[in-house]
Amino acid sequence: MADLPFSLRPRQELESEPRFASTLANGLDVLRCFSANQPALGNKEISDALGLSRPTVARLTFTLVTLGYLRKDEASKRYSLAPGVLSLIYPLLVQLTVRRVAEHELAALSEAAGGPISIGTRDLLQVVYVDTIHDRGNNGAKPDIGSPRPLLHTAIGRALLYAQGIAERDMLLPLLVAREGLDADAIKASLEQSFEQIARNGFCTSYGSWRPELAGLAVPLRYRAGDLPLAVNLTQPIEVVKSGRIEEEYGPRLVQLAQSIDRRLGVDV
């Protein structure tokens, strides 16, 4: 664990670090409790989720409400995220030049393929979307900015792991395997197949491994936003796999799109 960056170390280890502010960390953990599936939570639910006492959670939620990061429904006594959270992430989104550069090309391929296209990066041990373009239809993926996805079970997650480089992958894989209780050898073999796909074709695929009704394909970008790896993906209904269009048509087009983005951002391809 000594070689891990602090962001990936267990909370128990961080608590003994003199520079670590536990109260601040607890407050941020409260914000992370909210999700698309759980947009409103009460103090008891937050307390149960985090293993913190009810009085501690009550102080944290009160503080977050006063600072504009949570709002409280007085009738239900439940909390939800407030607009202040959006103000925090806006400066990061502005820095991601790739979002502006890629907009028109992403939209064109999304419309042609009839599925959403997204750009994602790694957030600790998961994928987070930083941009997404929807076609007029809906294939059930419902991606949006800030949506999380698993690293190991999605095409975009595997493309991001490929982009991380060998040393970073070797650091992340044991943490991912341990967290999900998976067989390390099976995961490594599956990842190697995806990495071989990328090396051979420029893209990798994932058919039903995250959600059985969805197929995904993804391409890692050579461009990095600072030290953040990026990848672009296209999601399709699983039925499209039978047509062959994912690997024969959409995969090569997604590779061309990624190469165009890299060139426009000054990266040799």
Side-chain angles (χ1 to χ4, degrees), residues 24-104:
L24 173 59
N26 288 337
L28 295 173
D29 284 344
V30 168
L31 296 179
R32 283 182 174 271
C33 284
F34 297 88
S35 67
N37 293 327
Q38 292 184 302
L41 297 168
N43 280 339
K44 183 180 185 306
E45 292 165 298
I46 297 171
S47 174
D48 292 342
L50 298 180
L52 299 173
S53 70
R54 291 280 293 277
T56 296
V57 169
R59 288 194 298 272
L60 292 170
T61 52
F62 174 82
T63 302
L64 290 167
V65 167
T66 61
L67 294 176
Y69 299 124
L70 288 181
R71 53 194 177 92
K72 182 179 182 181
D73 181 87
E74 292 298 337
S76 66
K77 306 299 182 185
R78 292 164 72 81
Y79 300 87
S80 56
L81 295 178
V85 175
L86 295 176
S87 301
L88 286 178
I89 67 169
Y90 179 70
L92 171 62
L93 294 177
V94 168
Q95 292 178 56
L96 294 171
T97 310
V98 64
R99 297 173 66 244
R100 298 190 296 275
V101 166
E103 182 178 2
H104 295 298

Side-chain angles (χ1 to χ4, degrees), residues 155-173:
I156 191 168
R158 293 177 174 222
L160 285 170
L161 287 171
Y162 182 91
Q164 291 276 195
I166 295 174
E168 292 164 310
R169 284 203 301 270
D170 287 346
M171 175 185 66
L172 290 169
L173 279 178

Side-chain angles (χ1 to χ4, degrees), residues 130-176:
V130 299
D131 202 4
T132 187
I133 301 290
H134 292 263
D135 68 305
R136 292 187 181 88
N138 179 8
N139 66 12
K142 298 180 180 177
D144 207 345
I145 294 174
S147 297
R149 296 290 187 269
L151 271 169
L152 292 179
H153 306 298
T154 59
I156 191 168
R158 293 177 174 222
L160 285 170
L161 287 171
Y162 182 91
Q164 291 276 195
I166 295 174
E168 292 164 310
R169 284 203 301 270
D170 287 346
M171 175 185 66
L172 290 169
L173 279 178
L175 300 175
L176 289 163

Side-chain angles (χ1 to χ4, degrees), residues 4 8 13 29 33 41 59 71 78 88 99 114 150 181 187 228 230 232 247-249:
L4 285 177
L8 292 174
E13 181 180 337
D29 284 344
C33 284
L41 297 168
R59 288 194 298 272
R71 53 194 177 92
R78 292 164 72 81
L88 286 178
R99 297 173 66 244
I187 287 297
L228 296 176
L230 295 163
V232 57
E247 298 195 32
E248 295 172 10
E249 178 182 350

